[in-house]
């Protein structure tokens, strides 16, 4: 029997898509006739690069998460203004979302990790699930809970998450103690193909050279890499929009490799703490240099998990500003290899979603 799933994927970075795509791919294996509608602010081409097959795309945002100065710095005043505006007529906004969902008529709503569709689904009488390693209620409370205007907004966000039948809390994650419907799920990751010989051939690298990818999870962050000194034996893969022309640096986008393949083919990645990058890197045995984000509560849980499951080292803002990575890279590559985790969460989450989709209507 065919079922219709509506999925809302947050466009606050690329980590939400990195979580959702493997789960949806596993769900399709279980339900080949599944009708899939995906709403996201991410470009449709980027979603299709992560998730093949047929689906209907709606390019729109139902959440914004946080306004960012760059990959690691939050613009708190602008974020506060957006939340206050978003919740000014919350009842009317939920009614509008409910009408949209009633017209679309899915059998189930799934979000990663917007809360408006959950509230709309509850109003429309449509079952709903959410899935992520974080939720906007906890992050909102962390940053704005002390503000006199924040309590009613937090209450509305929390009520939306609690209205879902389950919140699939992907490992590693924040604790989410306010969500009685939270259900722990194993790590989720797409593991790419190791195409190292092909990559080194394209880059004309020596066999002994180490390739280090620089990627900050879909957020632009100009690291002024053109000022970095040359590090012997290191070839950097950098974003094309940096427009750097150096023999030891190459743009990764023109290589034409899926990100998961690229991550599985490099020796290390320089990044910020983020679910998709951390879990995929650990699963591919790719070593990680990470720069902490400014006051981002989720990162402590991600970093603790990464230390248990991968070779990793923290780098400071000073090291990044100066490009003095020699010592950090030496220690990173000298560390003994770790046994990669087995990310069974996609299949586990797909099973839970399929059970909800196939459950008899109440």
């Amino acid at each position: 029997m065919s079922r219709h799933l509506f999925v809302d994927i947050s466009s606050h970075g690329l980590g939400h898509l990195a979580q959702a795509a493997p789960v949806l791919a596993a769900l399709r294996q279980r339900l080949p006739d599944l009708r899939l509608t995906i709403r996201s602010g991410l470009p449709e081409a980027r979603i299709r690069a992560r998730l093949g097959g047929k689906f209907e795309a709606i390019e729109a945002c139902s959440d914004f998460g946080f306004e960012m100065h760059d990959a690691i710095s939050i613009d708190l005043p602008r974020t506060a203004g957006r939340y206050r505006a978003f919740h000014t007529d919350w009842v009317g906004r939920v009614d509008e979302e409910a009408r949209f969902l009633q017209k679309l008529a899915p059998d189930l709503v799934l979000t990663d990790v917007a809360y408006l569709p959950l509230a709309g689904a509850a109003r429309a009488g449509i079952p709903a699930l959410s899935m992520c390693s974080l939720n906007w209620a906890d992050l909102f409370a962390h940053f704005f809970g002390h503000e006199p205007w924040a309590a009613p907004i937090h209450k509305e966000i929390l009520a939306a998450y609690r209205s879902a039948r389950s919140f699939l809390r992907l490992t590693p994650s924040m604790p989410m103690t306010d969500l009685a419907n939270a259900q722990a799920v194993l790590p989720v990751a797409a593991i790419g193909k190791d195409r190292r010989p092909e990559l080194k051939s394209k880059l004309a690298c020596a066999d002994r050279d180490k390739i280090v990818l620089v990627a900050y999870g879909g957020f632009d962050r100009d690291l002024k890499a053109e000022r970095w000194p040359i590090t012997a034996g290191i070839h950097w893969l950098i974003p094309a929009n940096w427009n750097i022309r150096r023999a030891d640096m190459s743009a990764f986008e023109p290589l034409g490799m899926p990100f998961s393949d690229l991550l599985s083919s490099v020796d290390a990645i320089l990044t910020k703490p983020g679910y998709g990058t951390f879990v995929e890197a650990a699963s591919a045995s790719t070593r990680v240099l990470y720069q902490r984000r400014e006051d981002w509560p989720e990162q402590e849980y991600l970093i603790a998990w990464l230390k248990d499951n991968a070779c990793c080292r923290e780098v400071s803002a000073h090291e990044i500003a100066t490009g003095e990575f020699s010592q950090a890279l030496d220690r990173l590559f000298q560390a003994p290899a770790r046994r990669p985790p087995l990310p069974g969460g996609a299949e586990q989450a797909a099973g839970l979603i399929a059970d909800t989709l196939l459950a008899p209507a109440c």
Side-chain angles (χ1 to χ4, degrees), residues 1 24 130 142 172 181 209 250 294 308 351:
M1 184 183 298
L24 295 177
S130 196
H142 174 82
N181 58 345
D209 287 348
S250 303
E294 295 181 8
D308 287 339

Side-chain angles (χ1 to χ4, degrees), residues 252-269:
F252 59 79
E253 294 92 340
L255 295 171
M257 286 189 181
F259 186 80
S260 296
D261 286 3
L262 196 61
L263 190 55
S264 295
S265 304
V266 299
D267 299 283
I269 182 169

Side-chain angles (χ1 to χ4, degrees), residues 66 75-77 79-80 83 139-150:
F66 286 83
D75 187 331
L76 288 175
T79 301
Y83 271 109
L139 292 177
F140 179 87
H142 174 82
F143 289 106
F144 303 114
H146 62 284
E147 298 287 351
W149 50 265

Side-chain angles (χ1 to χ4, degrees), residues 177-192:
T177 54
D178 285 337
L179 297 181
N181 58 345
Q183 183 171 356
V185 171
L186 295 168
V188 169
I191 303 177

